Amino acid sequence: MEAALLALAGWLDAVGLVAWTRLSPWIYPWANVLHVLGVVMLVGGIGIVDLRIVGLWRSLPLGDLARALTPVAVIGLTLQFASGLVLFAADGPALAGSFVFKTKLVLIALALGNAFAFRFTARGGRDRSPSGLARVSAAVSLALWLVITTLGRLIAYY
Ligand code: HEM
C-alpha cells in the first residue's frame, strides 16, 4: 500500500497538483475546511439513516429519510475525495508512511463495501422494518465512519 501511495504522490507531483497546493497559503486551509464540511455531510447523512435502521425514531418513514439524506451523503463523499486528494498532495511521501492514514483508507474501503453490499442485499434499507442483516450492516457502517473520522483527526498527531 505504501508503494501505491508513493506512486500516487509522484503522479500528483507530475500533474502539478503538489505545486498548485503550494501556490497560495489559502489552498491547504480551505481544502481542510471543505474536508470537514464533507465529513458533516457524509457521516451526518449516513449516520442518521443508520440510526433509523438500527431502531431509533421508528415513527419516521425510513424511505423518505433515506431518499432525503443519501444525496447529501454522496455529495459529502465526493467532497472528501476531492479535498482529501489536495490534503494528500501537500504531504504525500510522509502520509504514504503514516499507519493512521493507511488504516483510515482501508476502513473507508470497508465502509464503502458495506454500503454497496447493503444497497444490493438489504433492499436498500428502505423497508419500514429493516431485517436483522440490515441492522447489523447499519451498526457496522456507523462504527466505521466514526472511526474513520477519528483517524482523520489523528493523522496530524501521529
Ligand atoms: C471518505 C471519507 C473521509 C472522511 C470521513 C475523512 C475524515 C477526515 C477528518 C475528520 C480529518 C481531520 C480534519 C481536521 O480536523 O482538520 C481528515 C484529515 C485528513 N484527511 Fe480525510 N477523510 C476522508 C477521506 C479522505 C481521503 C479519500 C483522503 C486522501 C486521499 C483524505 C486525506 C486526509 C488528510 C491528508 C488529512 C490530514 C489533514 C490535516 O491534518 O491537516 N481523507 N479526514
Side-chain angles (χ1 to χ4, degrees), residues 13 22 34-35 37-38 69 76 100-102 126 138 142 144 152:
D13 195 9
R22 297 178 184 152
L34 290 177
H35 208 62
L37 179 65
L69 292 175
V100 174
F101 179 66
K102 289 183 281 189
R126 297 190 177 167
L142 200 56
L144 281 172

Side-chain angles (χ1 to χ4, degrees), residues 28 32 35 39 80-81 84 87 95 101 104 108 149 152-153 156:
Y28 190 88
N32 214 337
H35 208 62
V39 172
Q80 287 312 85
F81 278 93
L87 297 174
L95 287 164
F101 179 66
K104 177 184 161 194
I108 291 171
T149 302
R153 183 60 277 201

Side-chain angles (χ1 to χ4, degrees), residues 1-13 85 88-89 92-98 101-102 105-106:
M1 184 174 195
E2 190 158 338
L5 288 173
L6 284 171
L8 175 63
W11 181 76
L12 292 172
D13 195 9
L85 217 52
F88 176 77
L95 287 164
S98 159
F101 179 66
K102 289 183 281 189
L105 292 183
V106 169

Side-chain angles (χ1 to χ4, degrees), residues 5 7 10 13 18 45 48 53 57 60 72 74-75 78 84-85 99 102 105 107 122 132-133 136 143:
L5 288 173
D13 195 9
V18 176
I48 292 172
I53 293 168
W57 314 308
L60 273 183
V72 175
V74 171
I75 294 168
T78 311
L85 217 52
F99 173 75
K102 289 183 281 189
L105 292 183
L107 295 186
L133 176 67
V136 170

Side-chain angles (χ1 to χ4, degrees), residues 40-50 52 57 60 62-76 126:
V40 173
M41 295 173 75
L42 171 64
V43 182
I46 285 182
I48 292 172
V49 175
D50 285 341
R52 171 60 187 81
W57 314 308
L60 273 183
L62 178 54
D64 297 345
L65 199 64
R67 268 185 292 280
L69 292 175
T70 301
V72 175
V74 171
I75 294 168
R126 297 190 177 167

Side-chain angles (χ1 to χ4, degrees), residues 88-145:
F88 176 77
D91 201 13
L95 287 164
S98 159
F99 173 75
V100 174
F101 179 66
K102 289 183 281 189
T103 307
K104 177 184 161 194
L105 292 183
V106 169
L107 295 186
I108 291 171
L110 283 179
L112 292 177
N114 180 44
F116 281 109
F118 179 80
R119 178 161 280 298
F120 296 109
T121 59
R123 290 167 51 81
R126 297 190 177 167
D127 294 348
R128 193 164 177 76
S129 55
S131 65
L133 176 67
R135 290 174 202 275
V136 170
S137 174
V140 168
S141 166
L142 200 56
L144 281 172
W145 288 117

